[in-house]
Amino acid sequence: MSLRLLLVSLLLGNINPTNLGDDIVTLRIPLFRSVYFVGNQFGWIASHRNMFDTRNGGQTWRRNAIALASEPSTSVRPADLNVGMILWGDKENVLMWGNGELVVGSAESSTWDRRAFPAVGSTFMTAIGFSSFHHGYALDSSGSVYRTGDAGKSWALSGHLPATRVRSLYTFSAQEIWAVGKDASVLFSSDRGEHWEGQTLRSAESKYGTLATIECVRFISAKEGWLCGTDGLVFHTIDGGRRWERQQTPFSSGSILQAISFVSPTEGWVVGSKYSLNGSGSERYEAIVLHTIDGGLHWEPVNTKIQDTLLAVQALSNGRAWAVGANGTVLQISDHGRRWTQVNLG
């Protein structure tokens, strides 16, 4: 099994990492894992080694090296793909998922504060979400949910998920948590993870009869939100997640939509990648960028022809968006998707 195929299989959820046997290989951590803007001018981009910030809308970027407790291990756990994920940020501070730790940084200082996740024995963190600098949740591989109210200095057991195949956590407030993942599962808690309501999106079934994996969920208000995942799917809700309506995209099987970002109820972006085999049988990954100006009634592709797996996107109110990818792509999209530029951060 090739490294690229293994990476996509993990992202698509087609491999159980505990049963890889002789297929275990070194997993290269994505070069750029996340992008996070505060307004149109101040932004962060992160990898597992470096944090970049801009104060002028991306015209220039400043590098700030991150000293993790240890380098990411040669592991095939899906959680390792999240090293370098920005969990929350403002113009002064940023919270990032480090290698088995929470990393707290400042735009004014080159020092980084490393804070341990809950001591959970042989389990490991699989999903983390923060609604503010202080309030966040972490899910371990056994399904236990932990909460913090002091930016990760201390953690308390908050509850237990009825299912453990979760890919992503999203928290809209200090009380509300969304958990999404395998088998088109969507779970919600309104009491800090003590009790959960769950549903399966049956309309997320592929042509092969399997249910897709939900990779990301985001809300712009208490009532309106979107989620995206494998098989090119996007869902929309206007009633706080009681009902989800599937939206049509130009992609289906062989594609994965990794991240979604809306700047208003009408304009948003989705990014990911499409996998295919070329004539010689080697794998090929083409970046997916989708844009909507009508709340997702119509999703239009941005033709970048970039061969990468885009992992994160941030929509801005000036008609721009930023996206980053596993092979080092940093993409600035402007004029509501009409123009795009690759940015080299080195």
Side-chain angles (χ1 to χ4, degrees):
M1 175 180 290
S2 72
L3 173 57
R4 287 178 176 267
L5 183 55
L6 175 61
L7 173 60
V8 164
S9 296
L10 282 170
L11 290 173
L12 295 176
N14 296 328
I15 287 181
N16 179 354
T18 62
N19 295 320
L20 285 171
D22 294 335
D23 286 330
I24 292 179
V25 299
T26 299
L27 181 63
R28 182 170 62 83
I29 300 298
L31 188 54
F32 290 116
R33 184 61 186 85
S34 54
V35 55
Y36 194 107
F37 266 75
V38 183
N40 294 328
Q41 297 300 310
F42 191 96
W44 303 89
I45 288 177
S47 70
H48 74 284
R49 294 190 181 193
N50 296 293
M51 181 75 73
F52 297 82
D53 68 81
T54 180
R55 298 169 181 268
N56 54 19
Q59 295 180 46
T60 58
W61 290 88
R62 180 180 60 173
R63 184 203 304 263
N64 196 335
I66 301 170
L68 299 181
S70 61
E71 282 294 299
S73 60
T74 55
S75 169
V76 292
R77 296 182 308 187
D80 291 327
L81 297 174
N82 291 322
V83 173
M85 177 183 289
I86 298 172
L87 304 169
W88 184 89
D90 61 13
K91 294 181 180 180
E92 297 179 356
N93 301 297
V94 64
L95 301 176
M96 191 194 78
W97 188 333
N99 183 29
E101 61 192 358
L102 180 68
V103 181
V104 184
S106 168
E108 300 299 330
S109 173
S110 60
T111 61
W112 296 88
D113 184 10
R114 300 191 298 268
R115 300 175 183 177
F117 287 130
V120 290
S122 61
T123 61
F124 55 92
M125 293 299 127
T126 60
I128 306 165
F130 273 76
S131 61
S132 68
F133 179 73
H134 293 98
H135 294 282
Y137 294 89
L139 171 70
D140 73 18
S141 55
S142 72
S144 296
V145 181
Y146 298 85
R147 69 177 184 271
T148 180
D150 55 13
K153 293 180 180 178
S154 63
W155 296 85
L157 182 63
S158 194
H160 197 88
L161 273 172
T164 59
R165 305 181 82 181
V166 168
R167 298 285 292 166
S168 177
L169 282 184
Y170 176 73
T171 170
F172 189 75
S173 70
Q175 304 288 328
E176 299 171 309
I177 321 170
W178 289 90
V180 296
K182 289 278 291 181
D183 300 323
S185 59
V186 179
L187 300 101
F188 173 71
S189 173
S190 60
D191 57 4
R192 303 192 302 180
E194 294 185 24
H195 304 90
W196 292 85
E197 301 174 9
Q199 58 181 297
T200 300
L201 303 180
R202 293 297 174 186
S203 58
E205 185 174 341
S206 73
K207 65 181 181 180
Y208 305 107
T210 58
L211 288 169
T213 296
I214 309 299
E215 293 288 340
C216 181
V217 57
R218 291 292 183 270
F219 279 76
I220 61 169
S221 69
K223 295 294 185 181
E224 187 166 19
W226 286 261
L227 53 78
C228 62
T230 57
D231 295 329
L233 61 81
V234 175
F235 282 81
H236 177 226
T237 181
I238 56 174
D239 60 5
R242 291 182 177 86
R243 292 172 298 178
W244 293 91
E245 297 292 334
R246 184 167 181 172
Q247 298 183 327
Q248 296 300 314
T249 73
F251 300 96
S252 57
S253 59
S255 65
I256 177 171
L257 302 181
Q258 285 282 154
I260 191 165
S261 178
F262 271 76
V263 71
S264 71
T266 55
E267 185 167 26
W269 303 81
V270 176
V271 299
S273 64
K274 182 174 177 59
Y275 163 82
S276 62
L277 294 176
N278 60 26
S280 63
S282 60
E283 303 90 18
R284 182 176 184 272
Y285 304 90
E286 185 171 337
I288 291 175
V289 179
L290 297 176
H291 177 236
T292 181
I293 56 173
D294 57 13
L297 294 177
H298 301 89
W299 286 97
E300 298 295 332
V302 177
N303 188 17
T304 66
K305 296 184 179 179
I306 294 173
Q307 294 189 31
D308 201 349
T309 298
L310 297 182
L311 299 175
V313 63
Q314 174 74 65
L316 305 182
S317 62
N318 57 5
R320 292 184 175 182
W322 287 82
V324 297
N327 292 333
T329 296
V330 177
L331 190 63
Q332 182 191 49
I333 310 166
S334 58
D335 197 16
H336 303 278
R338 295 181 181 89
R339 294 182 296 151
W340 60 269
T341 304
Q342 280 192 270
V343 178
N344 182 15
L345 295 187

